[in-house]
């Protein structure tokens, strides 16, 4: 409880000092829903579900091709599943990459994006990964040390809050037109988000989010103790 109260105090401190200190010393914190501000590369926002968002990472992906291993033999994978008599689920029979390819292939065929058809349609989607802290979760480690000479905080690394897909708009989509039903779109978007939420291959982005968290908490402590060199560690 004390740690959560302390975090709220830190956020209030940012709000109170941001206008006085300016962007070069403190990252700006917006409190309006769905608003963000890029201040020297640091994205910080609070939203309607009480969270602190520190980083947005944007990535483009192509469905179905980015989700199907070009080395995978889909017919052979289907035979492997059918031949198994262990009672295991298909996803437990195949490797994770094989199962992703198998799922993506079957989803593509059933939604009109069959990769085996010459000139088959495809979707280019923009994914946004949001990293930060749900304020309902404990962020700080053991009780913070607030010595005015060397204030110190131990915090947990920021987590992946969500993966979202930006809305497709004709004016901003320079790729071939595709026809897709609402039901197919729901199935495809749900599949893509489920795959991306595992965070596989995002180690560099997680490190960037951790660096943003480091800069954020250090800025707060430096604002409170201008003459100090605060210590920020991750647990």
């Amino acid at each position: 409880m004390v740690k959560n109260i302390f975090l709220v105090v830190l956020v209030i401190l940012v709000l109170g000092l941001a206008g006085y200190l300016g962007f070069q010393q403190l990252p700006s914190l917006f409190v309006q829903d769905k608003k963000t501000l890029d201040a020297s590369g640091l994205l910080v926002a609070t939203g309607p579900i009480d969270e602190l968002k520190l980083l947005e990472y944007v990535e483009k992906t192509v469905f179905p091709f980015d989700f199907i291993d070009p080395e995978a033999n889909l017919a052979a994978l289907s035979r492997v599943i059918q031949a198994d008599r262990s009672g295991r689920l298909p996803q437990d029979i195949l490797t994770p990459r094989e199962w992703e390819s198998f799922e993506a292939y079957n989803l593509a065929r059933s939604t009109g994006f069959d990769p085996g058809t010459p000139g088959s349609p495809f979707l280019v989607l923009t994914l946004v990964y949001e990293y930060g802290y749900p304020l309902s979760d404990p962020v700080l480690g053991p009780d913070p040390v607030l010595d005015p000479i060397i204030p110190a905080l131990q915090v947990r690394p920021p987590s992946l809050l969500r993966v979202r897909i930006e809305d497709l708009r004709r004016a901003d989509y320079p790729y071939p037109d595709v026809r897709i039903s609402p039901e197919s779109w729901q199935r495809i978007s749900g599949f893509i988000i489920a795959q991306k939420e595992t965070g596989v291959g995002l180690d560099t982005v997680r490190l960037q989010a951790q660096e943003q968290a480091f800069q954020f908490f250090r800025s707060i402590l430096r604002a409170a103790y201008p003459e100090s060199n605060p210590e920020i560690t991750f647990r």
Side-chain angles (χ1 to χ4, degrees):
M1 180 65 178
V2 173
K3 296 173 186 176
N4 287 340
I5 292 175
F6 182 75
L7 178 59
V8 172
V9 171
L10 289 179
V11 173
I12 292 174
L13 179 60
V14 177
L15 291 170
L17 294 177
Y20 175 73
L21 295 175
F23 291 135
Q24 294 182 353
Q25 297 185 31
L26 252 182
S28 293
L29 184 65
F30 271 24
V31 296
Q32 295 93 336
D33 292 352
K34 299 181 181 178
K35 294 289 187 180
T36 59
L37 182 67
D38 184 352
S40 302
L42 183 58
L43 283 169
V44 181
T46 57
I49 56 175
D50 295 328
E51 64 187 24
L52 185 67
K53 184 171 66 178
L54 295 173
L55 178 73
E56 285 188 348
Y57 173 71
V58 179
E59 174 189 63
K60 287 191 180 296
T61 192
V62 181
F63 178 84
F65 300 105
D66 283 351
F67 300 90
I68 300 177
D69 186 344
E71 302 298 323
N73 185 323
L74 283 306
L77 294 180
S78 182
R79 289 194 295 270
V80 168
I81 294 173
Q82 292 173 5
D84 187 84
R85 295 294 181 266
S86 65
R88 293 178 296 170
L89 295 173
Q91 55 266 45
D92 297 325
I93 298 171
L94 304 178
T95 67
R97 182 56 171 157
E98 288 174 340
W99 175 243
E100 179 186 64
S101 298
F102 187 76
E103 262 201 311
Y105 179 73
N106 285 293
L107 176 60
R109 290 188 65 186
S110 65
T111 54
F113 293 87
D114 187 348
T117 302
S120 62
F122 58 89
L123 280 172
V124 180
L125 304 172
T126 300
L127 304 175
V128 181
Y129 301 78
E130 299 179 358
Y131 285 84
Y133 297 102
L135 296 186
S136 58
D137 292 343
V139 172
L140 302 178
D143 291 338
V145 179
L146 294 179
D147 185 291
I149 305 301
I150 307 180
L153 287 178
Q154 186 182 67
V155 300
R156 67 172 177 80
S159 59
L160 178 62
L161 297 171
R162 70 187 58 82
V163 181
R164 58 182 174 85
I165 299 176
E166 289 191 345
D167 292 337
L168 293 176
R169 294 183 296 180
R170 176 66 267 172
D172 302 325
Y173 191 80
Y175 308 101
D177 286 334
V178 293
R179 292 179 178 273
I180 183 170
S181 68
E183 179 186 1
S184 293
W185 169 249
Q186 186 176 26
R187 292 175 61 196
I188 291 171
S189 60
F191 168 79
I192 291 174
I193 289 174
Q195 301 304 312
K196 294 298 185 178
E197 281 179 338
T198 62
V200 175
L202 292 174
D203 292 342
T204 300
V205 181
R206 281 190 286 268
L207 290 176
Q208 291 175 353
Q210 186 166 306
E211 175 61 23
Q212 300 291 59
F214 175 84
Q215 297 294 342
F216 174 73
F217 287 110
R218 186 175 65 173
S219 295
I220 291 174
L221 289 182
R222 280 185 171 176
Y225 305 99
E227 304 301 321
S228 70
N229 185 25
E231 294 181 358
I232 310 294
T233 58
F234 293 94
R235 57 184 172 94

